[in-house]
Amino acid sequence: MTQTDVRAVGSGLGRIEGPAKVTGQAKYATEQDDVQDVAYVWPVPATIAKGTIRRIDDAPIRAMAQVLAVLTPDNAPHLQPAEDGELAVLQSRTVSYRGQFVAAVVAQTLEIAREAAERLQVEYDVEPHDVELTQDHPTLYKPDQVNPSFPTDTEQGDVDEALGAAANLVDHTYTTPALHNNPMEPHATLASWDGDELTLYDSNQGAYSAQQTLAKLFGLDPAVVHVVSQHVGGGFGSKGTPRANAVLAVMAARMVRRPVKLALHRHHMFAVVGYRTPTIQRIRLGADAEGRLSAISHDVVEQTSTVMEFAEQTALATRIMYAAPHRRTTHRLARLDIPTPRWMRAPGECPGMYALESAMDELAIECGLDPIELRIRNEPERDPESGKPWSSRSLVECLREGAQLFGWGDRDPRPGTRSDGDWLVGTGVAASTYPAYASPSTATARAAADGRFVVRIAAADIGTGARTALTQIAADALRVSTDFVRVEIGDSAFGQASLAGGSMGTASWGWAVTKACTELREKVERNGEVPVDGIEVQAETSAEIEARSGYKYQGFGAQFAEARVNIDTGEVRVPRLLGMFGVGRIINPRTARSQFIGGMTMGLSMALHEEGVLDLAFGDYVNHDLAEYHIAACADVTDIEAHWLDEHDERVNPMGSKGIGEIGIVGTAAAVANAVHHATAVRIRDLPIRLDKLLGRLPG
Amino acid sequence: MRPFQFVRADDAATAVQTVTANPKAKFLAGGTNLVDLMKLGVERPDLLVDLTRLPFDSVDVEADGTVRIGTNVRNSDLAAHPAVRNGLPLLSQALLAGASGQLRNMATVGGNLLQRTRCVYFQDVTKPCNKRQPGSGCPARQGDHRNLAILGASEACIATHPSDMAVALAALDARVAVSGPDGDRETPLAELHALPGEHPEQETTLRHGELITGIAVPPLAYAERSAYRKVRDRASYAFAVASVAAALDVEDGVVRDVRLAFGAVAPKPWRAHAAEDALRGRPATAASFRAAAEAELAAAEPLRDNAFKVPLITNVVVRTLSDLAGETS
């Protein structure tokens, strides 16, 4: 074995699959050209928001040349009941939201499948629908828990009394619109049956859990279901669990006895893959004359569908951010005739911290304090909710060091007083946070006699650089150069593994990889040499992860924004964004930077652009493509910087790393909104901050 | 996808003849809008006649200063042409404010003029739309209309024309050269687009088979003092929320002449004649500019979510004309 003491972790190793991706060699789900005789599936979305399918006139469609099958609730295979109601595809004639799949066409070509699907006539018995979330919606109820399993409400002390007695009080309601996940690669599946064995090339955030879920749904032994997801073109949470595309593909492939491909159209993505719920958040903060918080209250109203419950944990971060003896958080849901909201990058923290960190900015003004100083004064020594010590918490350092790099020091706090030509100029700050989760995973490490190693784990690289980071982690545990290590991922056959979700991929997989590779190295060292048929070690991390307790594991950050608002038009531009993060050890600075600035860009996009526009009459999000649903363009992102502290946390996991996939989007929108206020003296409490909300209110 | 035929035309007469003969035929130029609409099922032609081999691809300046622009000139090339860049800044700026670099490299003059509305209901065949399906209704009036018309609309339709280029051309009194089954004709750009009235499906005064072969921009003595200001939600690659094309001629602090046109507020590029009339002979001050904008917008009929366009256009008119007046003095 060619041992090395040079550590790979911390180096900016380029993406291992980078050359394959930029040369088009990397095969995504429906690009497997070695699968022959493929047919194509095109789904048929409901054109009503609520009701029942009366009749599907599929005879003329079946008669079309090259149409192989029409799937409807009448002929679709019966599925096993699933907790995820969105997986019960074509299992009933009930329509629960506009855009829900009510049928699908399978044809020889993609073009014919689509044309046939668009011609299929579906008749409905229409019922009145209710799609509008309001703060006092009559169906509001308290869910048993919020995503994934947090208490719905929390209460410590006497919030009302403390608020009543507070010298400084902030009481405002903030809203965020529906936000839609739009990974570049749509949800896509290639399903292929070989006798009773099923292979799925699928775009997902976890091949193993996709295998388990789909096997159960179709009543199959997981051993006969093989899910392969070598390359995934983004997910942002929307591919965390299988969606209707995978179910339809498996059904269709069985029905036509051929492999089938199904890639969703961008329009479908605005209904069937999940989105971030709109939120209505009332925040109340009470503080003494010096800005010390006595009470924090965060009441959230949001939506779920009639298909299943999804309760976003919007007030979760508020439970741990700041010290205050009196604290309350609540979540209430309206059950509407809309698509089911699901995970979207930092569910909970992202919308919740927009509201909390906007309110903190308002409180700073109320108290006459610098917003950084206000946060420092309310820094909790321990997790205010559980009383546990932090494994590490660097919010104050992030604020201070970020402020220095950004040039916050000489900031004039008066809002609406600076301009540059036709543009009002301001700066804002907000905190970021995200938990450092980990979930049990299995890794296999194999040493070959030629000194090379292969590590297998059912990890997913959704564009994060996971494959590369795991190669670095494996190399260090093996004490060899990364040149000698090949990490194979994206295959359900590699065993149970964490999702690429909750920012816990690298921590979870890295932990298992470290354990397997360390054990393998020790075994090889004991053995003296690697025999011809190699040495293999498998490791699983349940025990280690269960043993992790006693601390609160959480990453923190601070984001700074400069906003410019045109005095005549209200146009908002953000020429500068700077993030400083305290997230343990950075495995790969190159891919980490991309994660941070990607998250921050998405946060900027949320602040200024993104909004699913609901049509009350039809009950759908009408701006269902990327021409009408605006995300930030390159020209919106000019000077963007991500930095991190050299934070050492030996408690969090063997790598000392905290997740970085989501923290970048947390707080950005508040930093931008706070900067817009500083520029204009206008407080926008309803995202996105578009020109029509500012026009007519600007200082002249 | 619905099968369709595709032919390449080698000369204008054949192109006109081929399309005239087939009521479901369409001309295809850059394809940046038509092909998208075909994918959406909004446009369902039986036959596409590709114009890109036709010779209308030059920009010529005539002796009297008229700039003749062939219909096939790509938006990028037109924006970069010296006669446009130096002599018609508002047109160059309008072109460069449109779409993205890639789209401008494909999009043509004729195609740009004939591009169709971005109204989300027009683009969704599962919903009613009087323009797409006459008599089916207009959901935009109650639904999503933040970016739809405040001027020139009708009960039947509140769609806007999305072009930037056409707004500058409207301010310049451009004329459109048309070749048709009955020969060639020229029409003022102002008369190319029809207001919706009760027939929003009739978007232009072109007859089926008539082909735009080019445009002529007559000389305007003060065109060098002109500007196009586009307001949009994001910094690039977005249709206008509102736009203003302006040219200003000021002498001794008094407006001698002015050209004004608005974009993204009406079913056609909106020439602001009332504003121009209100300004001629008035002092070149912010107060006059504001009064002129208000004169034009007195006819505005804003809806629930687009009323902001009235003050927005007003502010942009004041700023743009003030800047031009500053340059002039």
Side-chain angles (χ1 to χ4, degrees), chain A residues 335-350:
Chain A
R335 210 185 281 281
L336 302 174
D337 303 312
I338 40 86
T340 309
R342 306 291 282 265
W343 302 324
M344 177 166 170
R345 204 172 199 171
E349 283 80 6
C350 175

Side-chain angles (χ1 to χ4, degrees), chain A residues 47 98 111-112 114-115 118-119 265 267 422-423 566-569 571-573 608-609 613 615 618 620 622-628 630-633 635-636 690-692 695, chain B residues 1-3 39-41 44 118-121 123-124 126-128 139 142-144 146 229-239 241 305 308-309 311-312 315-316 319 323:
Chain A
T47 55
R98 201 178 202 272
E111 291 77 12
I112 289 169
R114 181 174 183 176
E115 176 66 18
E118 286 167 1
R119 280 198 209 174
H265 188 270
H267 288 175
D422 302 339
W423 298 81
N566 188 282
I567 193 84
D568 298 312
T569 64
E571 286 163 295
V572 184
R573 303 290 182 252
L608 300 185
H609 306 301
V613 177
D615 183 293
F618 295 104
D620 65 343
V622 288
N623 52 341
H624 55 189
D625 59 40
L626 293 177
E628 307 303 331
H630 277 187
I631 59 170
D636 289 298
R690 279 199 304 233
L691 58 93
D692 36 329
L695 198 66
Chain B
M1 189 178 91
R2 215 162 141 268
K39 290 181 189 169
L40 292 171
R44 300 177 77 90
R118 308 302 301 191
C119 174
V120 294
Y121 302 98
Q123 294 184 75
D124 185 344
T126 70
K127 292 174 182 147
Q142 297 302 321
D144 179 24
R146 174 177 177 267
R229 171 67 161 100
K230 175 175 181 175
V231 180
R232 48 186 150 182
D233 283 322
R234 63 182 170 190
S236 167
Y237 198 18
F239 289 94
V241 173
D305 292 331
F308 72 94
K309 288 190 177 191
L312 181 57
N315 288 356
V316 177
R319 176 66 62 182
D323 288 351

Side-chain angles (χ1 to χ4, degrees), chain B residues 10-156:
Chain B
D10 293 322
D11 60 81
T14 315
V16 166
Q17 206 175 1
T18 311
V19 170
T20 304
N22 182 342
K24 290 191 171 175
K26 284 251 171 196
F27 296 118
L28 175 72
T32 57
N33 188 224
L34 177 58
V35 174
D36 278 358
L37 291 172
M38 287 170 67
K39 290 181 189 169
L40 292 171
V42 173
E43 295 274 15
R44 300 177 77 90
D46 283 348
L47 169 65
L48 288 184
V49 178
D50 180 8
L51 305 175
T52 51
R53 298 245 173 121
L54 302 190
F56 312 113
D57 58 356
S58 65
V59 179
D60 301 299
V61 183
E62 297 183 344
D64 72 345
T66 297
V67 181
R68 287 203 177 271
I69 304 163
T71 190
N72 277 343
V73 175
R74 306 286 169 167
N75 284 185
S76 307
D77 295 335
L78 184 56
H81 193 280
V84 174
R85 212 175 57 215
N86 301 326
L88 303 168
L90 76 175
L91 178 57
S92 185
Q93 290 167 16
L95 285 157
L96 292 175
S100 66
Q102 293 88 340
L103 286 165
R104 293 194 294 270
N105 288 342
M106 289 300 290
T108 66
V109 170
N112 187 313
L113 291 177
L114 297 181
Q115 66 182 301
R116 308 195 68 190
T117 184
R118 308 302 301 191
C119 174
V120 294
Y121 302 98
F122 173 72
Q123 294 184 75
D124 185 344
V125 295
T126 70
K127 292 174 182 147
C129 168
N130 285 329
K131 185 185 281 299
R132 200 184 60 243
Q133 210 179 339
S136 60
C138 174
R141 199 164 263 284
Q142 297 302 321
D144 179 24
H145 57 239
R146 174 177 177 267
N147 209 17
L148 299 183
I150 55 170
L151 288 165
S154 70
E155 197 58 37

Side-chain angles (χ1 to χ4, degrees), chain A residues 41-69:
Chain A
V41 188
W42 197 274
V44 179
T47 55
I48 65 162
K50 188 181 185 183
T52 310
I53 300 166
R54 189 195 312 139
R55 197 172 89 91
I56 297 181
D57 187 13
D58 57 353
I61 303 304
R62 285 180 206 279
M64 282 173 69
Q66 299 190 56
V67 167
L68 301 172

Side-chain angles (χ1 to χ4, degrees), chain B residues 84-95 97 164-165 167-169 171-172 220 222-230 243-249 258-263 316-317 319-325 327-328:
Chain B
V84 174
R85 212 175 57 215
N86 301 326
L88 303 168
L90 76 175
L91 178 57
S92 185
Q93 290 167 16
L95 285 157
D164 292 302
M165 180 194 79
V167 182
L169 290 176
L172 288 166
L220 178 68
Y222 55 96
E224 284 174 31
R225 287 186 296 276
S226 67
Y228 183 76
R229 171 67 161 100
K230 175 175 181 175
S243 70
V244 170
L248 185 67
D249 183 13
V258 62
R259 296 287 180 84
L260 265 181
F262 304 158
V316 177
V317 166
R319 176 66 62 182
T320 307
L321 291 177
S322 299
D323 288 351
L324 290 174
E327 280 174 32
T328 324

Side-chain angles (χ1 to χ4, degrees), chain A residues 613-697:
Chain A
V613 177
L614 185 71
D615 183 293
L616 296 179
F618 295 104
D620 65 343
Y621 294 106
V622 288
N623 52 341
H624 55 189
D625 59 40
L626 293 177
E628 307 303 331
Y629 180 90
H630 277 187
I631 59 170
C634 287
D636 289 298
V637 187
T638 43
D639 183 346
I640 184 166
E641 291 179 34
H643 302 271
W644 47 88
L645 303 171
D646 190 17
E647 184 183 81
H648 293 273
D649 188 335
E650 303 307 325
R651 301 178 179 116
V652 63
N653 59 44
M655 292 78 64
S657 66
K658 298 176 182 174
I660 57 171
E662 289 163 277
I663 193 168
I665 197 179
V666 179
T668 325
V672 171
N674 296 342
V676 167
H677 176 266
H678 188 232
T680 62
V682 179
R683 179 69 62 177
I684 302 298
R685 301 191 182 90
D686 305 289
L687 293 184
I689 306 169
R690 279 199 304 233
L691 58 93
D692 36 329
K693 295 176 186 172
L694 289 160
L695 198 66
R697 301 170 66 190

